[in-house]
Amino acid sequence: MATIEQPTERKVVVKEMSWDPITRIVGSLGIHTEIDFTNQHVLKCYSTSMVFRGFDIYMKGVDPRDAHFITSRICGICGDNHCTCSCLNQNMAYGVKPPKLGDYAYNLAESADFMFDHAIFNDCMANVDFCEQMVKETNPTLLKTAEQTPAPHGDIHGYKTIAEIMRALNPFTGSFYLETLQVARYTREMYCLFGGRHTHPSTIMPGGVSADITHQTCTDYYVRLMRYIEYAKRTVPMHDDLYDFFLEQLPGYDMVGYRDTDLICWGCFDDPEYVDYSYRGMTEWGRHRYITPGLVFKGELVSTDLVEINLAIRILLGSSYFDDWSSEETFVDKDPLGNAVDKRHPWNKVTLPRPQKRDWADKYSWVVSPRMYDKRNDSYVACDTGGGPFARQWVTAKAGLVDIGYLKATGTSLQMVLPRTASMPEMELEWKIPEKSNAIERDRARSYHQAYSALVGLHCLEKALVEIRAGRTKSWNSFTVPSEAVSVGFHEAARGVLSHHMVIREGKIANYQPYPPTPWNANPRDVYGTPGPYEDAVQNTPIFEENGPETFKGVDIMRAVRSFDPCLPCGVHMYTGAGRVRKVQHRPTGLS
């Protein structure tokens, strides 16, 4: 006679765990989760920032010519990106077009910043999560396999096994980690040749740049650039080996940090042959950028038109500490082309802070919820920047518009040709559009974007030398500030989209709304309950870490978050707790 066994009750272990602040970035980001340790995945995630600053408030009434000096102080990491974005914004407002050399100088400075930022973040911050020390503490079984696994491209980058790559990334002792610190030094030198200083430029301004650009300037840049290109020839295959190992040895790891491919890219690196900075011409000159603007919904590139993309931006509330501005003044009801502008567009946003207690069921962050409006189905999509490079390369490859010799977009990939350098021959790379948007592919795209940024720099350097040799050394044009203007600067910081929207009245700033990349990624649930990209990417992420709840480090969660290159100074605000408002007045010493 058969006996029927009664099923035993299985206890599901769920723990709330928080990482606040997130390390290796400015400490203003917190990630709070509920984790199912029985089934090894994340159930819920909340992304929060508890600091308020309010640049958009005290920009009101400011002389617009000061905007780039003030807004570069939004961040101590990508302040140069803010400065440049503000200058592009002002160029539109003032109707000024820099000389070609000035446009190339913008590009040369910013491509150097990308080279710096992607190197230092990938190998001294994000890839610490993949280093020997971290893997030993979280996945010791995987490390044993890495010791026995040959690196497929070891003949190029010099590391024989995957474990050697991991050791090279150990913080403060790893050979590649230490090499990247030196790379960060000379790429900042490259920036300073055109921007004066990094990260708060002294020579980048509306109408162009004030740097004295000579043959020597370009030679100094070129020497460092070729050194960087040789570095990129090693770093790209090294990262490919490391990331492919994780995907091969941990089946399902492509779901860590996974979310739908909903992307935004404003594009950057304007072609001086086409750009005039006018809003009316923005569709055309935007499509001639060396990185193509684009809006992607569910893996479909729906637009490369910067005007259309601009009009789709919406700033929603929900879980953020602000009052709604629907009853406030409307600054712009129609854009310069006569298109209707929504009340929730940045041109019309009014910042109304309301400090309060953090409540996961209600308000829990000072970051608002930017969304892209999909008019096809009347929905608001939580698009992300893919950490910057993923979205930039995805859109540019798909659009197939860029072809500058060293770089070509094919519709499915980006083909790159890195020229011969001191000790390495010419190398061809191809970044192919991945099937999924996940943590590994965001990190991989960043490595390829180091090569991409270097090739944009090389192209612009050659074009700048043409101007100098022809005696066209002027790099700045004068301008006048209009009494009334509506303008926008669209640019990219290293980690993604950066826009500055401005309204001028009576020669002063009436409204100024900067939207950097991390607020697009780190935002909380909106009024419709849609989670922000960090929250969405971490929720349902599988857990591969071998540690149990008591010794859990959360490395898979951190890899998911850091794949977006978080940098929250741009999004943070100041909150002292208990609903108290703190007012601080500063009196210069001379007036004491």
Side-chain angles (χ1 to χ4, degrees), residues 396-402 408-415 430-431:
T396 302
K398 194 73 170 180
L401 299 177
V402 171
K408 183 176 181 180
T410 69
T412 58
S413 69
L414 292 171
Q415 296 174 343
E430 186 173 20
W431 180 85

Side-chain angles (χ1 to χ4, degrees), residues 261-265 294-303 381 383 391 394-395:
T261 307
D262 295 319
L263 304 171
I264 44 169
C265 174
L295 176 58
V296 180
F297 292 140
K298 300 296 182 288
E300 178 187 355
L301 180 60
V302 298
S303 180
V381 182
C383 289
W394 201 104
V395 168

